[in-house]
Amino acid sequence: KTRELDHAGDAKVIDEPDEHAPVAPSASKPDEASPLKTPSSDSSDVNNPQGLPGETKKAGEDFLKWLRDGLHRRTFNVNDVNSKIHMTREGMFLVSPAIFKQYDREHWEHVQKGFTRLKLNEKNSLKNGNIHKYLARGAKRTSEIKGYLIADTVNVFPGIELPNINHALSLPEHQ
């Protein structure tokens, strides 16, 4: 038995394995890219904002899978006033950062960065940035909303029947 400090700085006793004892497959070291969180997960966890670049991309891939599953199962509220997902003439519009916060309130910035690294979204024409602006026209007022635009919905969401276009959203003239 040895002592070492855990993440909080407290000493803990560690049982060292007997060199000659057989090791069960379940006791082997988990794959570092595994998306499963365990009580012993450290700062290399895939949802950790300080994660490695590959882990950031993995967070984006996990977000995309969640988005595809939700669209396929029709569990998302789409094209309504408070929706975080809208269909536009240009493609699917994801209200940001709201959609990423819905997925992971604690590490949403890390997830957003991972999604950006997938390069599935369109760049805007003004600053070659990732964020697009849309005008949402209601009965009494017009609001500006910001987010990511996915133009290639056929390839990004294969086999998923997407909602109709939300005609209350339009691009501002200057974008």
Side-chain angles (χ1 to χ4, degrees), residues 7-21:
H7 296 291
D10 298 319
K12 62 181 183 177
V13 176
I14 305 293
D15 285 328
E16 293 185 332
D18 180 0
E19 290 179 28
H20 303 291

Side-chain angles (χ1 to χ4, degrees), residues 34-55:
S34 172
L36 300 175
K37 287 187 176 187
T38 61
S40 62
S41 291
D42 62 8
S43 64
S44 66
D45 189 328
V46 295
N47 287 324
N48 189 323
Q50 276 70 35
L52 300 172
E55 293 167 337

Side-chain angles (χ1 to χ4, degrees), residues 57-116:
K57 188 173 179 183
K58 175 78 168 97
E61 290 167 349
D62 291 345
F63 168 79
L64 182 59
K65 182 183 181 317
W66 170 80
L67 187 61
R68 285 175 175 152
D69 289 347
L71 289 167
H72 180 72
R73 294 179 183 166
R74 300 195 177 279
T75 57
F76 292 121
N77 186 13
V78 180
N79 290 338
D80 289 336
V81 173
N82 294 316
S83 296
K84 295 160 186 70
I85 302 170
H86 297 272
M87 292 305 300
T88 69
R89 289 175 191 86
E90 297 77 24
M92 181 178 289
F93 182 70
L94 305 175
V95 178
S96 180
I99 191 71
F100 299 104
K101 287 181 177 180
Q102 181 177 337
Y103 175 73
D104 187 337
R105 183 151 301 285
E106 189 176 341
H107 302 295
W108 67 268
E109 290 172 290
H110 180 69
V111 173
Q112 181 173 326
K113 182 185 260 187
F115 179 75
T116 302

Side-chain angles (χ1 to χ4, degrees), residues 130-142:
N130 294 306
I131 302 298
H132 290 258
K133 295 178 185 177
Y134 273 83
L135 296 177
R137 299 186 200 294
K140 295 183 180 179
R141 66 184 191 137
T142 298

